[in-house]
Amino acid sequence: MKIACIGAGYVGGPTMAMVALKCPEIQVVVVDINEERIKAWNSDKLPIYEPGLFEVVKECRGRNLFFSTDTKKHVGEADIVFVSVNTPTKTHGIGAGKAADLTYWEGAARLIASVSTSSKIVVEKSTVPVKTAEAIGKVLKRNCQDPNVQFEILSNPEFLAEGTAMEDLRNPDRVLVGGADTESGRKAIETLVSVYAHWIPRERILTANLWSAELAKLTANAFLAQRISSINAISALCEATGADVSQVGHAIGTDSRIGPKFLNASVGFGGSCFQKDILNLCYVCESVGLKEVAEYWYQVVSMNDYQKQRFVERVISAMFNTVSQKKIAIYGFAFKKDTGDTRETPAIDVCKGLIRDGAKVCVYDPEVTPEQIFRDLSAPKFEWDRPNYSRSQSHMLENVQVVSDPAAAAEGSHAICILTEWDEFKTYDYQAMYDKMTKPAFIFDGRNILDHAQLREIGFIVYALGKPLDPFLVKGY
Ligand code: NAI
């Protein structure tokens, strides 16, 4: 059996590496139009950072795992074609700011149709709006010259989380395969299930109809993001009342109906998927006339924006209502720990918010490159609720410094903001940092990962999200 995967990104690379590892008799080729990315996949410095990924790639690469830019050849030869191209939010035209941009997906479908001389199973790995398979089916059918070639479309959404992708792929809670309820549809489902059955117990491989599978992925991300926005909403109330969000989270998490996971308050969710997929879900709802349902889910994104804004306002008001010309150390720029991914990271909005008020930010992140940080902070912000608003932000960069040493970021700064929950932040010598900072020295812990009592003993004024406020931080006016 030959598998090709179109799209060598955060999903295509790791998922195919795991398939190759677990199915040594299957040849897996990951193709991409981005030559630089493919070159990196074939080198010792992979294009994405994911714990455990390099080891798996190293074991399989050249054996039954290949990375190539020859999309035509490998897609043409494949029995199963996974499509894991990007499906970002549209930035212009109808549905701008909400709808999924399916340009890349359609491009991939046209490519498959044009090079196919044998029947294929086409697997939607990308997250797509419900009913995409129908549209893709039409594109495939109308663009393939050979009338004997049949395409069977399956939806196989990916549930991995960045940072734990390899473990999620090795031992997933479930794999979901959706297909048509026809004889050929059922046969295609069985073929894909047999690939996953190499290492995943059958009872964890769920099958469904196409639309359920497509919608399940959007729904899963909407529920996960909703949980974060819910606890973040409560974090604001905790600060106003003297309750402690960790205690509230722990108390509700012991209820088996609620469960303990995803109850940590933070500066906000990020990543390429949550916001995009909720907005896409809202757009689908609006398209079918379900305005109230759409409005319900929009609120999850609005709450996330509020949380980021609230954090910025907290920093500014704590520092005597002015951060003008003040150096502020930013610890962590990635949207979560153990990844170098910065797509939609809350750090972008927080840094921009502080710079807009005159601050000079000095960023340290163990994985994100300076080029990426500069790129993110100079790119115009695309407002999902005001899609026509976009202004160049290149002036931002005059107030951004990126360093490779956390102590250098702290030196001479007025404050440290923790924006990513990297483990190494917990073990720093904060006494040494404090000694070199301007006084009063602040720490704003946007992830609640530090030992706040110890920091207070050192002399820091500490803001911990959703925790009882330091008297110093209570607004007297
Ligand atoms: P990505 O942007 O890292 O990778 C997509 C790749 O597809 C890029 O390298 C791009 O060059 C390539 N591509 C686009 N059009 C192409 C074409 N016509 N031919 C060949 N290559 C082409 O995106 P990522 O993060 O891997 O996401 C892919 C999909 O998976 C998205 O729909 C996303 O929503 C979904 N997803 C992402 C997860 C994540 O954690 N990043 C988790 C679960 C799903």
Side-chain angles (χ1 to χ4, degrees):
M1 184 190 283
K2 286 187 175 178
I3 290 179
C5 174
I6 305 178
Y10 285 87
V11 169
T15 47
M16 290 303 117
M18 190 56 71
V19 170
L21 179 74
K22 299 293 186 181
C23 312
E25 82 284 12
I26 300 178
Q27 180 195 289
V28 181
V29 186
V30 189
V31 296
D32 205 295
I33 41 176
N34 184 334
E35 279 181 27
E36 221 176 286
R37 247 190 177 177
I38 290 297
K39 223 163 129 190
W41 278 112
N42 283 317
S43 75
D44 279 350
K45 177 94 182 96
L46 301 185
I48 63 173
Y49 172 68
E50 195 60 63
L53 172 63
F54 184 61
E55 291 73 11
V56 174
V57 169
K58 218 168 151 195
E59 184 172 340
C60 306
R61 201 169 51 190
R63 180 188 80 184
N64 65 329
L65 175 66
F66 303 89
F67 297 91
S68 169
T69 49
D70 194 347
T71 48
K72 287 185 181 165
K73 174 179 188 297
H74 296 293
V75 172
E77 288 175 356
D79 305 294
I80 303 180
V81 183
F82 284 83
V83 182
S84 68
V85 298
N86 33 333
T87 50
T89 307
K90 272 181 87 170
T91 52
H92 53 269
I94 296 170
K98 302 170 189 174
D101 181 351
L102 293 176
T103 312
Y104 303 100
W105 225 114
E106 192 181 321
R110 286 179 189 277
L111 167 80
I112 297 169
S114 69
V115 300
S116 289
T117 50
S118 60
S119 294
K120 300 191 188 317
I121 297 173
V122 176
V123 183
E124 288 178 346
K125 202 45 145 166
S126 302
T127 305
V128 290
V130 58
K131 287 283 190 179
T132 297
E134 196 171 75
I136 294 303
K138 287 177 189 158
V139 173
L140 289 170
K141 207 167 175 179
R142 296 292 167 100
N143 285 283
C144 183
Q145 305 295 331
D146 189 337
N148 297 318
V149 171
Q150 299 292 318
F151 296 106
E152 201 56 54
I153 303 176
L154 299 178
S155 166
N156 172 221
E158 184 48 60
F159 294 103
L160 68 78
E162 283 176 32
T164 53
M166 298 316 281
E167 200 35 49
D168 295 344
L169 289 166
R170 202 184 303 272
N171 187 22
D173 289 342
R174 72 337 202 162
V175 165
L176 178 59
V177 181
D181 191 14
T182 57
E183 202 190 322
S184 56
R186 285 189 289 273
K187 205 169 144 218
I189 291 176
E190 204 33 56
T191 305
L192 185 55
V193 167
S194 73
V195 171
Y196 285 114
H198 278 73
W199 77 99
I200 298 162
R202 284 265 173 165
E203 64 274 13
R204 274 198 257 156
I205 307 176
L206 314 180
T207 57
N209 78 32
L210 268 172
W211 321 133
S212 307
E214 286 178 340
L215 187 55
K217 174 63 192 177
L218 292 183
T219 309
N221 275 356
F223 269 60
L224 289 169
Q226 180 205 42
R227 239 172 119 88
I228 298 175
S229 277
S230 297
I231 199 70
N232 282 346
I234 297 301
S235 76
L237 185 56
C238 286
E239 287 169 31
T241 56
D244 180 328
V245 74
S246 304
Q247 294 174 359
V248 174
H250 179 67
I252 64 168
T254 49
D255 184 327
S256 60
R257 293 167 302 177
I258 296 175
K261 292 187 183 163
F262 253 58
L263 283 177
N264 290 330
S266 71
V267 63
F269 59 73
S272 67
C273 295
F274 281 179
Q275 171 165 312
K276 149 179 104 66
D277 292 346
I278 294 177
L279 295 175
N280 180 354
L281 179 70
C282 293
Y283 186 71
V284 172
C285 291
E286 283 174 352
S287 307
V288 295
L290 299 173
K291 183 169 152 281
E292 286 78 2
V293 182
E295 274 169 8
Y296 173 78
W297 288 107
Y298 277 134
Q299 203 50 37
V300 172
V301 182
S302 297
M303 182 53 64
N304 197 49
D305 286 344
Y306 167 73
Q307 187 76 347
K308 290 181 272 188
Q309 184 58 28
R310 204 169 75 74
F311 186 84
V312 170
E313 284 170 13
R314 195 56 99 181
V315 173
I316 295 170
S317 75
M319 295 167 75
F320 320 110
N321 281 322
T322 176
V323 287
S324 187
Q325 297 301 314
K326 290 180 180 168
K327 178 181 177 186
I328 297 181
I330 303 291
Y331 283 1
F333 201 82
F335 84 93
K336 66 193 285 199
K337 74 171 180 177
D338 293 338
T339 177
D341 195 354
T342 63
R343 292 177 292 180
E344 299 292 341
T345 177
I348 295 176
D349 285 339
V350 170
C351 287
K352 283 185 175 179
L354 294 172
I355 293 169
R356 241 178 257 124
D357 247 70
K360 297 193 166 302
V361 302
C362 185
V363 186
Y364 166 75
D365 187 286
E367 274 302 324
V368 183
T369 62
E371 296 73 36
Q372 186 62 47
I373 294 171
F374 290 131
R375 211 175 305 139
D376 287 336
L377 291 179
S378 58
K381 167 139 174 83
F382 187 83
E383 308 271 354
W384 64 272
D385 53 350
R386 277 175 293 152
N388 292 324
Y389 174 83
S390 128
R391 200 155 41 92
S392 165
Q393 311 268 311
S394 51
H395 64 282
M396 286 275 164
L397 296 191
E398 294 155 20
N399 298 305
V400 181
Q401 201 191 344
V402 180
V403 293
S404 55
D405 171 18
E411 189 166 354
S413 71
H414 291 250
I416 297 172
C417 294
I418 308 282
L419 299 187
T420 311
E421 73 280 24
W422 286 104
D423 288 334
E424 66 173 64
F425 296 165
K426 299 180 197 166
T427 58
Y428 289 169
D429 179 354
Y430 283 98
Q431 179 68 59
M433 307 278 186
Y434 179 81
D435 292 343
K436 296 198 164 162
M437 287 173 69
T438 305
K439 309 296 178 318
F442 296 82
I443 285 196
F444 299 92
D445 187 353
R447 297 283 178 170
N448 282 342
I449 53 166
L450 302 185
D451 182 339
H452 303 137
Q454 194 192 16
L455 292 171
R456 287 194 175 100
E457 229 164 79
I458 292 173
F460 280 106
I461 293 161
V462 180
Y463 165 71
L465 226 147
K467 305 264 184 179
L469 285 180
D470 199 305
F472 201 94
L473 300 172
V474 179
K475 260 192 181 174
Y477 47 92

